[in-house]
Amino acid sequence: GFLVKPLEGTVELVSPTRATPKWSNGYRVYGIEHFSDAVEFGVAIDKLVAKCMSETLARGDRMAFRDDLRFERLEQGFRLGNEHGHFDIQGAPWVIRVGELIRIGTKTVFEVLAEMNANKIQPQEVFGFLNELRQSGFLDDDVLYGAP
């Protein structure tokens, strides 16, 4: 949602998250814009939406799993778990390798797709899988989007 601070003339795009030293208020800030009147407020909202609310990953997005999730390789996929439970992600044989590449924390979407393509795996299938991981909340927003 948007956190509007009219007296400061700022609007922030925020989302709830677990409280950490970095996000001590219990929400993550994706972007901040400044405004001084109603017209600039509308422009600020539009900028935040354009900059921070993409429906899919971009080729240059760097990926990592959330820092609270432990990665464990399984026979037909991988497990992501923390103190609250775990999620088994299984599928085609290449799913394991994609999980391992994301676990590294430095690979971009393009680099993952390029490796899979070199191994004769359809990039659009892998791209769909990566977006499912993102939409399911497994990818680290701080790595994807950085700090505002």
Side-chain angles (χ1 to χ4, degrees), residues 60-134:
D61 287 342
R62 193 165 54 90
M63 298 176 297
F65 291 118
R66 289 188 345 237
D67 61 4
D68 67 312
L69 296 174
R70 292 177 312 279
F71 175 93
E72 179 185 343
R73 185 182 173 139
L74 301 174
E75 190 173 314
Q76 304 223 343
F78 57 90
R79 173 174 289 162
L80 297 173
N82 60 23
E83 66 274 7
H84 302 293
H86 66 269
F87 307 92
D88 289 346
I89 300 169
Q90 299 181 350
W94 53 263
V95 166
I96 296 170
R97 181 62 183 150
V98 169
E100 291 171 338
L101 291 170
I102 295 171
R103 180 178 63 169
I104 294 169
T106 60
K107 299 293 185 183
T108 65
V109 170
F110 178 79
E111 290 170 323
V112 171
L113 294 177
E115 180 173 321
M116 294 297 102
N117 189 50
N119 289 304
K120 309 288 189 250
I121 308 299
Q122 292 296 316
Q124 56 270 40
E125 189 175 356
V126 178
F127 187 65
F129 176 69
L130 296 175
N131 277 297
E132 286 178 26
L133 291 174
R134 175 186 175 238

Side-chain angles (χ1 to χ4, degrees), residues 44-55:
I45 295 288
D46 290 343
K47 283 182 181 178
L48 287 169
V49 169
K51 180 171 63 173
C52 305
M53 296 180 73
S54 172
E55 292 185 24

